[in-house]
Amino acid sequence: MAFYIGVDGGGTKTAYALFNEKKELLDLVKTPGSNHENLPGSFDEAVEIIWSGVSALLAKNGLTTDDVAGCLMGLAGVDHPFQHDALYERLFAKGLRRFELYNDGFIVTKAGTPDGVGIGLNLGTGTCCNSIDDRGQMLQLGGFGAYSGDAGNGWWIAEQTYCAIYRDLVLLTRPTAMTGIFCEKAGIAPEADAFVALVSNFDGDGADAQARLLSDTMFEAANQGDAEALAIVEAMSDAAADLVAAHAKRQTFDRDVIPVVLSGSMNTKMPNEVFLRRLREKAQSRAGRSFDFIKLTAEPVTGCINWMLESIGKEANP
């Protein structure tokens, strides 16, 4: 039996999956996020996290690196060749062999489309949009935060929502339904002092939970037709549609309908019907192409085994 390892490394968690040649998932372990851009120890700390996860998966199943026929990693933060090389060299020094590194956005396409061709739009902790076209060409857009105009990820939505509620409660300028929704969810009185005090949570252990609460608040208010929430949705869908349309224009897709795989918690776990409707409308208008928007239901890490076996098949049948 041949064994393969897939790694999906994000900003908040990293998944390590053990597969066989039949694509059967044999085991799965998780560790904290491994995006070097979020870690004080940068590349060194990221590699320690990844190596500990791979080692734990192997030890749990009585295997060593010699038993692994292939390993493919989709890692957040691998946006430039120098980042790829820095991580690759450190993992190689640890003793890992026969492995490949890509940005985590690419494994989304391999996990969510029948033939591994299409566009992957990830809106989770961060934003990225990746594609693999019918020629096998790979393209990554976004992922640089404010420098690439990223919008629609959890932190961006949380900041926009906090600002909107601040304008309502503190500046007394633009009322929004988000104020009442959020204060009820957070268990606080809808008062300026109580709300402003929550800003300290963005620097503590509860930061992720507060960001999720604010994001959920925005989507709920948008579905109710709140004007301030809908303005956030418009900005979010503008940025996302521009990314999708750019891939359609820059890449070579021979098919009439281009698959767009939606991944990340903002795409798959939030009540985001209004956003998805606006995204579809804008992307198709701006690209002049038809898209099939697919919410990813499989674990993104399954894209790793799909990709590895696809590559083996191509090598056997050039």
Side-chain angles (χ1 to χ4, degrees), residues 2 23 29 53 62 107 123 127 178 194 196 200 205 208 223 269 271 280 307:
K23 297 187 181 181
V29 300
I107 65 174
L123 300 178
T127 297
M178 290 185 283
V196 170
S200 62
D205 294 335
D208 289 339
N223 288 334
K269 297 180 180 179
R280 292 187 188 97
W307 204 342

Side-chain angles (χ1 to χ4, degrees), residues 42-123:
S42 189
F43 296 115
D44 290 331
E45 186 173 354
V47 167
E48 289 301 325
I49 292 171
I50 294 167
W51 182 246
S52 70
V54 170
S55 299
L57 182 66
L58 291 172
K60 187 178 175 184
N61 290 276
L63 302 172
T64 70
T65 54
D66 292 334
D67 299 310
V68 179
C71 175
L72 190 145
M73 302 183 184
L75 305 178
V78 180
D79 305 311
H80 292 283
F82 85 88
Q83 295 168 318
H84 170 279
D85 294 346
L87 291 166
Y88 192 98
E89 290 166 5
R90 286 166 171 79
L91 286 166
F92 191 89
K94 286 286 188 181
L96 196 60
R97 300 293 184 270
R98 298 184 297 278
F99 69 101
E100 298 175 88
L101 293 179
Y102 299 98
N103 178 269
D104 60 331
F106 289 110
I107 65 174
V108 167
T109 300
K110 295 296 186 182
T113 62
D115 59 359
V117 173
I119 300 168
L121 174 64
N122 182 73
L123 300 178

Side-chain angles (χ1 to χ4, degrees), residues 117-119 131-139 246-256 258 289:
V117 173
I119 300 168
S131 66
I132 303 173
D133 71 8
D134 284 288
R135 304 293 188 272
Q137 298 175 115
M138 300 167 64
L139 176 65
H247 279 279
K249 294 174 181 177
R250 295 183 58 181
Q251 292 278 68
T252 303
F253 292 103
D254 299 329
R255 56 202 66 202
D256 293 331
I258 305 172
R289 298 290 301 267

Side-chain angles (χ1 to χ4, degrees), residues 19 25 44 87 128 151 154 169 225 229 296:
F19 299 96
L25 177 62
D44 290 331
L87 291 166
C128 69
L169 274 181
L296 185 63

